[in-house]
Amino acid sequence: MATRHSCDVVVIGAGLSGLYTARLLAAAGADVLVLEAQGRVGGRTLTIHFSDGTFVDDGGQWVSPGQHCIVKLADELGIRLFPSWSEGATAYWRAGKRSVSNDLFLPEDGSAAVLVREAAKELAAMAETLSPEQPWAAPQAAEWDRITLHSWLTTNVASEPARRVLATAIEGVFARNSMPTSLLAALFWVRCGDPLTPFLTTKDPGPERRFDGGAQQLSQRMADELGERVILNAPSSASSIARRVSV
């Protein structure tokens, strides 16, 4: 039988969001408990370490220019960042043919670069009508939620390579899941994140960075701070929480 705990707040999931939420609550004086279904913390971040000291991040790992909050958190946790390697050409594999380019597009892609910038500007303007706190309250929220990002791209962007690049940039945060991405969800990410930055500025935004030692350690160090208030192997439902927790 599971040990019974008492707390003020239960947080479900020991990924970055759950642990950061619990960290803020604990700092504010709340008695918080984090329940995690897996036998590890980190959620969509997972770092594999090898005996020679090297590591491989199997999940989320990059910090893009402008993502100041995660940089501040890393600094608070004593985790250093380093510039991500990005030199060299890009190899493409299309329809069984290998091509190499020093640019985002191949020569045969024609005006794709121009079309990407035009569409990115339009999407950014649409995203500005959203409130990060209540995206569903935007004037066209219902309309945008009825269509997918891909259907909007098909209607508004003539170049298939341009559509592919934009979809990849925006949907990367969703880990390319099997469910269609609604246009509203895509615009919310554009509003809150930076997936279109490379297409909207003529200035070098600076390098992407990675965490020295891997991205999962952000969650591991937050969990270490919380100690026994993080419970692993604890899949949660309303009934299981009732059995485990007195709030």
Side-chain angles (χ1 to χ4, degrees), residues 47-51 53-56 213-214 220:
T47 305
I48 306 299
H49 294 272
F50 297 91
S51 58
T54 60
F55 68 92
V56 173
Q220 290 169 335

Side-chain angles (χ1 to χ4, degrees), residues 41-76:
V41 300
R44 289 190 293 173
T45 60
L46 175 62
T47 305
I48 306 299
H49 294 272
F50 297 91
S51 58
D52 63 357
T54 60
F55 68 92
V56 173
D57 274 319
D58 284 348
Q61 55 196 273
W62 284 284
V63 177
S64 296
Q67 294 181 334
H68 306 300
C69 293
I70 194 74
V71 172
K72 181 175 182 291
L73 175 62
D75 184 61
E76 291 174 359

Side-chain angles (χ1 to χ4, degrees), residues 5 25 37 61 75 86 143 150 159 173 199 205 227-228 246:
H5 302 266
L25 288 167
Q61 55 196 273
D75 184 61
S86 60
E143 174 188 343
H150 287 268
S159 165
V173 69
F199 315 117
E228 295 181 355
S246 298

Side-chain angles (χ1 to χ4, degrees), residues 92-99 104-106 108-109 161 164:
Y92 294 86
W93 185 266
R94 294 183 186 172
K97 179 184 176 183
R98 182 180 181 274
S99 303
L104 188 59
F105 296 100
L106 297 172
E108 57 262 37
D109 291 336
R164 182 173 61 247

